[in-house]
Amino acid sequence: MSVDRGAALYGLLRHVRPLTLNSARVVEAAVKPHALTVGMRAVLEVLSDHGPATVPAIGSRLDLARQGVQRHVDDLVRLGHAEIRANPAHRRSVLVALTTEGAGLIARIRDDELHHLAAMAPECTPEEIATATKVLQALSRDVRKRAAG
Amino acid sequence: MSVDRGAALYGLLRHVRPLTLNSARVVEAAVKPHALTVGMRAVLEVLSDHGPATVPAIGSRLDLARQGVQRHVDDLVRLGHAEIRANPAHRRSVLVALTTEGAGLIARIRDDELHHLAAMAPECTPEEIATATKVLQALSRDVRKRAAG
């Protein structure tokens, strides 16, 4: 029975990697006309969801190395979507924040994504989607623990 | 309501990338003592599940480019876990097959993975895991379609 449970979770996990790859391809195609990459879009999203943040804080939310985040931030600043501000909490670090243009852009991108997503997996009920989210969250928590340990 | 549905699927998708990254880290740590990479393990698994296959067929199952698969195959052959055979169906292509050692190794690796997985997400019932698998499969199918289109 324990083996069955492992096999069931394994069957679930097998969908996760192709779904991640193909989602990234879809997002990449959608943001390309805005001169954004998937990573830059992810940084915009973190700033939009959580407000101004330091580069290390953005990296920890995205499971991305500091250097990668810094590159995305530089590109976003260059395009006028983000700006650097003094950090009131720490004199020697800075905060990254959305500009008005950046906030508008990520809002439009996300609206468009939600619109397309809403038409997907039409055979699944809201309750089934909620259950799937609960399972993925629990599994993600435990796999993260094992990856760290 | 359609927007709610999109938002619900988006909430589900947000777990998918970190889960993929952390799963890869766990698998990487587990196969390293066998001198394998995550990619080499994935090739062993395809050969174990589906029998001897051509390099392009393995690539299409893994959503991996032909060159990447060829590199993994070369490494597996060098380690004695896979071997090249004539392809009875096509004189000009060859089949990759597991050796007895490779078959034993991937079986041991997977037993160990299932054992660890069985202890994860303990608050989820078998029914919930089955529902999550159904939802991920449907979503993966539709995202793949959009990625290709």
Side-chain angles (χ1 to χ4, degrees), chain A residues 1-3 5-23 25-26 30 41 45-46 49-50 62-64 110 112-129 131-144 146-148, chain B residues 1-3 5-23 25-26 30 41 45-46 49-50 62-64 110 112-129 131-144 146-148:
Chain A
M1 148 144 201
S2 168
V3 168
R5 189 183 171 79
L9 286 169
Y10 193 74
L12 172 64
L13 271 179
R14 294 190 89 154
H15 295 294
V16 159
R17 182 175 165 278
L19 183 50
T20 301
L21 290 176
N22 285 316
S23 296
R25 283 173 194 149
V26 169
R41 181 208 157 285
E45 181 170 54
V46 167
D49 285 350
H50 304 284
L62 293 175
D63 271 314
L64 259 184
R110 283 179 57 169
D112 193 54
E113 287 171 354
L114 292 188
H115 176 79
H116 283 292
L117 264 178
M120 291 190 177
E123 71 268 50
C124 300
T125 66
E127 291 73 28
E128 289 173 325
I129 295 170
T131 298
T133 305
K134 174 195 158 184
V135 172
L136 272 194
Q137 190 157 22
L139 190 57
S140 188
R141 174 200 66 211
D142 290 350
V143 171
R144 181 187 298 267
R146 195 164 141 70
Chain B
M1 148 142 201
S2 168
V3 168
R5 189 186 170 78
L9 285 170
Y10 194 73
L12 173 64
L13 270 180
R14 294 190 90 155
H15 295 294
V16 158
R17 181 174 167 277
L19 183 50
T20 300
L21 289 177
N22 285 316
S23 295
R25 283 171 193 151
V26 169
R41 181 208 156 287
E45 181 169 54
V46 167
D49 285 351
H50 303 285
L62 294 175
D63 272 311
L64 259 184
R110 284 180 56 169
D112 192 54
E113 287 170 353
L114 292 188
H115 176 78
H116 282 292
L117 264 178
M120 291 189 176
E123 72 268 49
C124 300
T125 66
E127 292 71 29
E128 288 173 325
I129 295 169
T131 297
T133 305
K134 175 197 158 184
V135 172
L136 273 194
Q137 191 156 23
L139 190 57
S140 187
R141 173 202 65 211
D142 290 349
V143 172
R144 179 187 300 268
R146 194 162 142 71

Side-chain angles (χ1 to χ4, degrees), chain B residues 27-104:
Chain B
V27 171
E28 192 177 25
V31 298
K32 215 174 173 181
H34 304 288
L36 297 183
T37 62
V38 173
M40 289 160 75
R41 181 208 156 287
V43 171
L44 287 178
E45 181 169 54
V46 167
L47 298 176
S48 171
D49 285 351
H50 303 285
T54 62
V55 165
I58 298 169
S60 114
R61 286 204 182 271
L62 294 175
D63 272 311
L64 259 184
R66 196 194 186 295
Q67 302 94 306
V69 174
Q70 185 65 58
R71 214 168 40 235
H72 296 322
V73 166
D74 292 344
D75 290 338
L76 290 169
V77 167
R78 196 172 37 78
L79 290 171
H81 299 318
E83 61 187 17
I84 305 300
R85 296 187 190 160
N87 185 349
H90 296 277
R91 275 177 60 199
R92 305 192 56 179
S93 77
V94 293
L95 289 176
V96 185
L98 291 180
T99 60
T100 309
E101 291 73 25

Side-chain angles (χ1 to χ4, degrees), chain A residues 10-115:
Chain A
Y10 193 74
L12 172 64
L13 271 179
R14 294 190 89 154
H15 295 294
V16 159
R17 182 175 165 278
L19 183 50
T20 301
L21 290 176
N22 285 316
S23 296
R25 283 173 194 149
V26 169
V27 171
E28 192 177 24
V31 299
K32 215 174 171 178
H34 305 287
L36 298 183
T37 62
V38 173
M40 290 159 76
R41 181 208 157 285
V43 170
L44 287 178
E45 181 170 54
V46 167
L47 298 176
S48 171
D49 285 350
H50 304 284
T54 63
V55 167
I58 298 169
S60 113
R61 286 205 182 271
L62 293 175
D63 271 314
L64 259 184
R66 194 192 187 299
Q67 301 94 307
V69 174
Q70 185 65 58
R71 214 167 41 234
H72 296 322
V73 166
D74 293 344
D75 290 338
L76 290 169
V77 168
R78 196 173 36 78
L79 289 172
H81 300 317
E83 61 188 16
I84 306 300
R85 296 190 191 157
N87 185 350
H90 296 277
R91 276 176 58 199
R92 305 193 55 179
S93 78
V94 292
L95 289 176
V96 185
L98 291 180
T99 60
T100 309
E101 291 72 25
L105 178 61
I106 187 64
R108 284 197 306 281
I109 288 172
R110 283 179 57 169
D111 278 355
D112 193 54
E113 287 171 354
L114 292 188
H115 176 79

